[in-house]
Each structure stands twice: as structure tokens, then as C-alpha cells.
Amino acid sequence: MSIEEARAPRSYAVRRATAEEWQNLRDLRFEALRDPVAHLAFLDRIEDALERPDSFWRDRARTSAEGTSVATFVAADGDGDLAGTVTVLVNQPGEPDYVGETSSEIRAALVGVFVRAEHRGIGVIQQLLAMTEGWLQEIGVHRVRLHVHEENLRAKHAYARYGYVDSGARVEIAGEPHLEMVRELRGR
């Protein structure tokens, strides 16, 4: 197979993750935490994740498969294997978010974004973000944000290609500098 064929757009089923696929979600998280830039992209460490019991992963999958405070979306390839994931945290007005900030309106933040290396550069992240943003609009969110480590150039470029812009806000997360990127969802 040529490089061009390997990078040609493929068909993915993009959907909300189910509680029953907790093992696949766990394994994808393990892979994400082994990524060369995991120390810049995630607040979790592979050593800690490996020690968590199955009940943790089951609860995490169940929580993100139902309700409107957290949701995980996945892209599955033609064989049904997970190619990538996005989790979104939703906070109601006045409720502190994961960095301790509050807002007078419903607020959403993308976290845990990961696409397997063999699926990068072919639109998987765009499909995941589009599905996530569509769901957010359905529940009344008008603006989505994320925080990205200042040195995580791969992620910054991917988000910028999809229309996320640097808001100018900076926040320290786990002692490291992160910039806020936002995307307006109104009128989309």
C-alpha cells in the first residue's frame, strides 16, 4: 500500500461510547498514556492508570455513556476497532469546572482527546469534534473550550485546523502552562 493510499479518507462510525465497551475504552486510554507526548496532553500517568481496578473503568464508561455532564465519543474503523476518542465535560452555570473556574452560562471543555497514530492526518479528529460539538449544541452549549499545553504543538495545530482559536487565557494545570482554545458553536 502506498503512503497516499494509507492516508486516504476512510469511513468511520462516530458515536457516543457505550458502557459495554469499557475494556476497549480502557485499552485506548492506556495507548494514549503511552503516546510520546502523553506527558503534555494528559493529566494522568500510565503507571497510575494500570493500577486502577476494572470497576473504575466500568464506572467511567457508564458515566460517560449516559447523562449530560460528561460524554465520550469514539470513532470506530470499518473493523469496529476504536481509532480515537474525545471526552467532553459539561458544567452548569455557577458550577466550577475541572480547572476551578465558573461561568454564568452552561460551559463545556474537551478533555482526553486521542487518535491512534495510524489514524492521524485523515480527518478522524474532525469527525470526532463535529459529533461532539453537534451533541453540545443539542444540550444548549454555545461555546466549547479546551486547554492545551503550550509545548504540545501537534495538538495545537490539529485544533487550529478545525477552527479553535487561542482565547489569550492561560491556566496552570498540574503545575504546567496551558493555553485556552475556544470555538463558537452558535450559527453552525
Side-chain angles (χ1 to χ4, degrees):
M1 178 184 313
S2 71
I3 292 175
E4 291 77 24
E5 291 171 321
R7 290 286 168 216
R10 294 186 228 166
S11 176
Y12 292 88
V14 182
R15 58 177 171 72
R16 191 163 181 180
T18 67
E20 294 77 25
E21 61 190 329
W22 68 270
Q23 290 172 306
N24 292 335
L25 292 167
R26 178 200 59 199
D27 293 347
L28 187 62
R29 180 65 174 182
F30 290 166
E31 187 173 335
L33 294 174
R34 288 183 178 109
D35 189 87
V37 297
H39 66 287
L40 299 176
F42 305 109
L43 301 179
D44 204 1
R45 296 175 336 123
I46 186 64
E47 296 83 4
D48 298 328
L50 289 168
E51 290 182 12
R52 294 189 182 107
D54 288 349
S55 60
F56 171 88
W57 300 104
R58 281 188 196 99
D59 289 344
R60 183 174 171 149
R62 181 188 42 75
T63 301
S64 65
E66 54 191 50
T68 58
S69 62
V70 60
T72 296
F73 295 89
V74 294
D77 66 15
D79 295 326
D81 296 324
L82 299 185
T85 185
V86 171
T87 297
V88 61
L89 306 175
V90 180
N91 296 95
Q92 296 303 312
E95 182 180 73
D97 64 13
Y98 78 108
V99 294
E101 297 176 355
T102 60
S103 174
S104 61
E105 58 186 38
I106 189 171
R107 195 171 204 181
L110 301 179
V111 298
V113 179
F114 178 71
V115 174
R116 287 188 158 132
E118 64 270 22
H119 299 279
R120 292 181 189 149
I122 55 175
V124 174
I125 187 68
Q126 289 82 0
Q127 292 176 54
L128 281 163
L129 292 173
M131 175 66 74
T132 304
E133 292 172 0
W135 180 80
L136 287 170
Q137 286 182 298
E138 288 175 15
I139 64 167
V141 175
H142 302 293
R143 182 178 197 224
V144 64
R145 69 186 188 142
L146 56 89
H147 294 96
V148 61
H149 193 286
E150 291 181 348
E151 295 177 15
N152 192 345
L153 300 179
R154 182 178 79 195
K156 284 195 308 190
H157 293 306
Y159 299 131
R161 276 192 306 275
Y162 194 67
Y164 282 76
V165 296
D166 185 343
S167 73
R170 299 294 182 267
V171 64
E172 192 170 297
I173 301 174
E176 295 289 332
H178 288 70
L179 60 95
E180 179 185 77
M181 296 183 80
V182 298
R183 182 166 158 93
E184 297 296 329
L185 303 181
R186 295 177 189 178
R188 288 194 54 233

